[in-house]
Amino acid sequence: MIDKTAATNKLPWLVIGDFNFILHDTEKFSTDPIDTSEEALFQNKIFDLDLIDLGFTGCPFTWSNKRRGHALTEQRLDRVLVIDDWLSLYPNTTITNMLAIGSDHHPVLLNSNPHWKNGKIPFKFFVPWMDHEDCKKIIAECRSKSLSGSSAFTIARRLKDIKLKIRVWNKDVYGNIKTNIEECKHYLNWLHNNYFKIDRGHALADARKQLKAWHDIEEKFWKTKSRGQLIKLGDQNTIYVHRATKNRIRRNKIDTIQDEKGDWITDYQEVKNCFTTHFSNMATAEPINISPEIINLIPTTITSADNNLLNRQPDHNEIKFILFSMASEKAPGPDRFPPNFFKTNWEIIGNEVFKMSLSRTLIYAEELGLIHGIKICKAAPSINHLLFADDCMIFCKANLPEAQNTMDILQIFGSSYGQLINYTKYGVFFSKNTNPSLIPLISTTMGVQILQLDDKYLGSPLSHIEAK
């Protein structure tokens, strides 16, 4: 039926309802593995018909067999697929999976015109601007301008000047890219039909070159907006990156959120207030209750007398001497430290202490047999975690006890350091020899999404190895 609609209907259209298929393993909650052949068949059909899945908010699954225990199966069988022309007419469309009462399917609500306000569009630097000499001159002039004040102030002021001047320059030089392309097409068409002078060949070549230049600019522009860094320039994938950009903009729109009580909020102002309240509470200082389990992991290296000396408040002369020593030619004077200098550096130090304590706890947990890391070969040492800047990767056996022990360790640190863990940004991936029936159970226990082994982190695959 969809094939017939796509072949005969030239108007913008969509299809909504029960497809009886799922696209990803995250769309199914069950002890039974997904049918990969059906999954591939559905994905290929969507790709062949050039359809776009509008996603959803609300209930993660739209169908349930309503059984109990391990017999329970839930899936996202209902969805909305549209063609690009339909999405262009209704770019702000929202899809909400509502709560089912008597049926085994959840109602799916489509709103093609939600009352949503867009905030201010932030300034974004367009990389191809650097190909133009005028842009380089603007940046050079702003950087060479003499300013007084701290380093942080001068950098911020210069960036602001660059932003203001480039905005005006972009409007005058680049203008509307789409309009420029149409003008180039009209001019080229006029040459073909009306220009028959001796330099006709050169004129046509120059016009085609100008048109190609604007097409390249358009492609780079949409590639930048879509953040499709792996797409090769020059392939004229403008339609693809344009669609990817619109999909990313849709994903970045927050049309509804769930508050602390579990209620869904759709009003724009209420959504703003909920975010403001949430982050204000997070930023409020709370007493930190460090777990004795963590304290016991820190070896005693100083005496009580040394500790009292370190905790002693320095007198005025000691502080004056320290600041005077720092006021050398290679260091800023005491009156020129950037705002929040000490607070920022203490936060950096605190973050390193946090990571070192977490690392020590994970090592100790493996010594107790609570978790087991991986080995790249039988004679190699066990690795149960890796740290990358602000990120951490933890390894353990694919069973429920170790999954729960891992979450307990993270919970201890969350409560000890007064930090909340956003599990929606976490994920778990499994080696190929993992029992398929355990995968959804472990994911549910940990409360995180399932990642694939070929998923990438900072451009590199998450895993090249198999657990031994």
Side-chain angles (χ1 to χ4, degrees):
M1 181 177 177
I2 298 180
D3 292 340
K4 184 178 179 180
T5 302
T8 60
N9 199 329
K10 300 301 181 183
L11 296 174
W13 59 274
L14 64 84
V15 57
I16 178 173
D18 178 10
F19 288 84
N20 206 30
F21 288 100
I22 62 173
L23 287 174
H24 310 286
D25 53 4
T26 55
E27 296 181 348
K28 180 177 181 179
F29 179 85
S30 175
T31 55
D32 298 326
I34 65 172
D35 188 329
T36 56
S37 61
E38 289 186 354
E39 175 189 6
L41 178 65
F42 192 27
Q43 288 179 343
N44 291 335
K45 179 61 66 176
I46 292 177
F47 180 80
D48 292 340
L49 296 177
D50 217 12
L51 296 173
I52 302 169
D53 188 341
L54 292 186
F56 67 93
T57 58
C59 302
F61 309 108
T62 64
W63 173 85
S64 172
N65 63 3
K66 295 189 175 181
R67 297 180 182 176
R68 300 182 180 182
H70 295 298
L72 174 65
T73 296
E74 295 180 297
Q75 299 182 87
R76 184 192 171 208
L77 300 180
D78 306 83
R79 66 183 72 240
V80 182
L81 303 175
V82 304
I83 65 172
D84 189 64
D85 291 342
W86 197 95
L87 188 58
S88 297
L89 288 176
Y90 307 102
N92 296 324
T93 300
T94 61
I95 308 298
T96 305
N97 293 340
M98 304 176 70
L99 183 64
I101 304 298
S103 173
D104 56 353
H105 279 268
H106 293 257
V108 177
L109 174 65
L110 181 148
N111 187 350
S112 62
N113 189 27
H115 299 288
W116 187 254
K117 299 178 182 179
N118 291 321
K120 294 182 179 179
I121 300 177
F123 173 81
K124 294 183 180 180
F125 188 84
F126 184 34
V127 176
W129 284 341
M130 292 300 296
D131 296 335
H132 203 291
E133 287 298 323
D134 290 347
C135 180
K136 296 178 181 179
K137 290 180 181 178
I138 291 174
I139 296 175
E141 290 173 0
C142 293
R143 290 185 60 185
S144 61
K145 185 178 180 180
S146 178
L147 296 171
S148 59
S150 66
S151 298
F153 170 79
T154 56
I155 291 175
R157 180 58 185 271
R158 284 173 179 145
L159 289 175
K160 183 177 181 180
D161 291 343
I162 291 173
K163 178 179 69 174
L164 295 175
K165 291 185 177 181
I166 284 185
R167 269 182 171 166
V168 176
W169 170 83
N170 174 58
K171 186 176 180 180
D172 294 337
V173 176
Y174 275 82
N176 189 299
I177 298 176
K178 189 174 182 179
T179 300
N180 293 336
I181 289 176
E182 292 302 318
E183 290 179 353
C184 287
K185 287 181 178 179
H186 285 303
Y187 179 63
L188 181 60
N189 185 62
W190 181 87
L191 289 176
H192 275 292
N193 297 314
N194 302 284
Y195 195 81
F196 300 101
K197 295 183 180 181
I198 192 172
D199 63 339
R200 173 182 170 86
H202 291 290
L204 290 172
D206 290 342
R208 285 191 290 266
K209 181 179 179 182
Q210 185 70 14
L211 178 60
K212 184 181 183 303
W214 280 112
H215 272 305
D216 290 341
I217 290 173
E218 182 189 37
E219 183 183 6
K220 291 178 181 178
F221 173 78
W222 285 110
K223 176 178 179 290
T224 301
K225 293 201 70 170
S226 70
R227 300 180 184 173
Q229 302 300 320
L230 298 180
I231 302 173
K232 294 182 179 178
L233 294 178
D235 291 342
Q236 294 299 329
N237 289 310
T238 306
I239 295 178
Y240 170 82
V241 295
H242 186 267
R243 178 177 300 166
T245 299
K246 289 192 290 186
N247 287 338
R248 184 177 63 82
I249 292 174
R250 277 182 45 77
R251 290 195 302 269
N252 288 343
K253 278 185 176 292
I254 302 176
D255 47 47
T256 179
I257 62 171
Q258 197 172 25
D259 63 13
E260 295 180 351
K261 299 178 181 179
D263 299 326
W264 287 97
I265 302 174
T266 57
D267 181 74
Y268 176 74
Q269 190 59 45
E270 290 184 10
V271 170
K272 288 179 60 177
N273 293 339
C274 187
F275 273 113
T276 302
T277 302
H278 174 73
F279 287 106
S280 296
N281 293 336
M282 287 183 62
T284 302
E286 296 182 358
I288 297 177
N289 182 23
I290 300 181
S291 170
E293 299 177 33
I294 297 178
I295 295 295
N296 293 335
L297 293 175
I298 303 176
T300 302
T301 57
I302 61 175
T303 64
S304 299
D306 292 333
N307 187 56
N308 293 332
L309 181 63
L310 289 171
N311 288 317
R312 179 182 60 85
Q313 183 176 355
D315 59 34
H316 177 74
N317 291 330
E318 288 176 316
I319 297 175
K320 185 177 180 180
F321 173 76
I322 294 172
L323 294 178
F324 178 79
S325 300
M326 296 176 67
S328 63
E329 295 181 359
K330 296 183 180 180
D335 59 334
R336 290 178 291 173
F337 282 111
N340 298 325
F341 174 80
F342 293 105
K343 180 177 182 294
T344 302
N345 282 275
W346 176 248
E347 289 175 350
I348 295 173
I349 295 171
N351 187 44
E352 293 302 316
V353 172
F354 177 91
K355 291 192 293 185
M356 287 188 292
S357 300
L358 177 59
S359 178
R360 189 187 298 272
T361 302
L362 291 169
I363 294 173
Y364 182 63
E366 182 162 7
E367 292 176 356
L368 296 178
L370 298 176
I371 61 174
H372 296 82
I374 62 172
K375 296 182 178 181
I376 59 175
C377 64
K378 291 183 178 180
S382 175
I383 301 173
N384 61 34
H385 70 282
L386 295 172
L387 299 175
F388 308 91
D390 294 331
D391 299 319
C392 178
M393 183 180 293
I394 300 175
F395 304 95
C396 67
K397 286 187 175 181
N399 57 50
L400 291 176
E402 295 210 8
Q404 186 60 58
N405 290 339
T406 301
M407 301 310 293
D408 290 342
I409 293 172
L410 295 176
Q411 180 62 35
I412 291 173
F413 272 82
S415 59
S416 297
Y417 282 83
Q419 296 184 358
L420 297 176
I421 298 176
N422 184 0
Y423 289 105
T424 61
K425 294 185 177 180
Y426 280 58
V428 57
F429 62 92
F430 301 86
S431 60
K432 294 180 180 179
N433 59 353
T434 303
N435 185 346
S437 64
L438 283 175
I439 292 178
L441 296 176
I442 294 175
S443 174
T444 302
T445 299
M446 303 184 76
V448 297
Q449 61 180 319
I450 300 175
L451 304 177
Q452 303 301 319
L453 286 175
D454 57 354
D455 283 353
K456 293 183 178 180
Y457 170 80
L458 299 179
S460 299
L462 279 170
S463 176
H464 289 286
I465 58 178
E466 288 294 327
K468 299 294 183 181

